[in-house]
Structures are given as structure tokens and as C-alpha cells.
Amino acid sequence: MAGSKKPNDKAAKASDKGTKSKGSSSSKEDKSGDASGSGKLKPAASINCEKHSKKEDALTKLRDGAKFDDVAREFSEDKARQGGSLGWKIRGALDATFEKAAYDLEPSTTANPKYVEVKTGYGYHIVMVEGRK
């Protein structure tokens, strides 16, 4: 871990820098709208990597079929080392860019994740949503 990393769910409170979509059939362009955008969501989020190359290594593992939570344990530099789960979050509880990317995703499973990349001031994040209620 880098000495400048901040503990726990800093990934969820990271500053705005932009998003880039990836994953099995999920991109910002093919989303089916914001109809499910209210309420709570559970992002299994944030494989958080300070370096782009480490994020790319994590993406390679995901593309090769590894489970999201296993990749989070191996590559993440924050709370996601516990398997990626940030727990249930309500609108406004996360960084705006991170939150928008999460709410735009449809829920998926850790075994067959749909994910999006988000770059923030804290590094690179790979976000997956497990559910909504």
C-alpha cells in the first residue's frame, strides 16, 4: 500500500475526475435509463488502485473470468480488500462521480460482474453494483 492512501471507504468519497465504462455488456451508452435511480444501492465497489497499471491488471483478471470479490481482495488498496463490499448506500452518501457511475449500472453478481471504471483523486476504481432496494 502506498503511504498516502487513506483508510476504509475513501473510494466512496473520492473526488470527481471522470468515468470510463467497461465490463460485460455495461457501458454508460447502453444503460436503460435512471428509472431505478432512487432508493438504495449496494455497490460491491471499488477495486481501488492508485496506479493505472494495477487497475489494468485487475481488469485483465476480471475479463479472464475471475470473481469480482476475489479480484478486490487481491488488488484493492482500501476497504475493498475485504471483498469489495461497501454496504448499502443512499443517494448523496458517495462522491458524485462515483455515485453516478454506480447508479447508472444495472445490478450483477460477483461471479458475472458488470462494472465501470471511475478515476478520482484517490486513484482508479472498478465499481460493480450488487443490488438495489
Side-chain angles (χ1 to χ4, degrees):
M1 259 197 241
S4 64
K5 288 312 297 172
K6 295 184 176 141
N8 296 326
D9 47 352
K10 291 297 181 187
K13 298 182 191 251
S15 33
D16 294 340
K17 292 279 183 166
T19 63
K20 180 180 175 186
S21 299
K22 293 282 181 186
S24 58
S25 75
S26 82
S27 73
K28 296 182 77 76
E29 291 77 27
D30 69 2
K31 67 180 174 133
S32 56
D34 272 344
S36 61
S38 62
K40 292 184 178 181
L41 64 81
K42 184 177 184 183
S46 200
I47 296 171
N48 181 27
C49 304
E50 188 173 295
K51 296 187 178 202
H52 183 267
S53 60
K54 190 169 183 180
K55 185 253 325 172
E56 290 297 317
D57 291 343
L59 285 171
T60 297
K61 285 230 173 185
L62 288 170
R63 289 180 190 126
D64 288 345
K67 288 179 64 178
F68 190 92
D69 51 347
D70 292 339
V71 176
R73 281 186 202 96
E74 182 179 348
F75 287 93
S76 192
E77 298 169 347
D78 67 353
K79 180 180 179 178
R81 284 188 171 260
Q82 300 167 2
S85 183
L86 294 175
W88 291 97
K89 301 294 181 187
I90 59 171
R91 275 205 188 269
L94 302 169
D95 167 77
T97 301
F98 188 99
E99 184 175 271
K100 178 166 178 15
Y103 273 96
D104 284 351
L105 282 171
E106 63 183 85
S108 61
T109 64
T110 59
N112 188 22
K114 294 180 181 176
Y115 51 86
V116 65
E117 297 173 52
V118 180
K119 181 169 185 325
T120 72
Y122 292 93
Y124 299 88
H125 312 276
I126 305 169
V127 180
M128 184 201 105
V129 173
E130 287 183 294
R132 284 191 168 74
K133 61 180 177 177

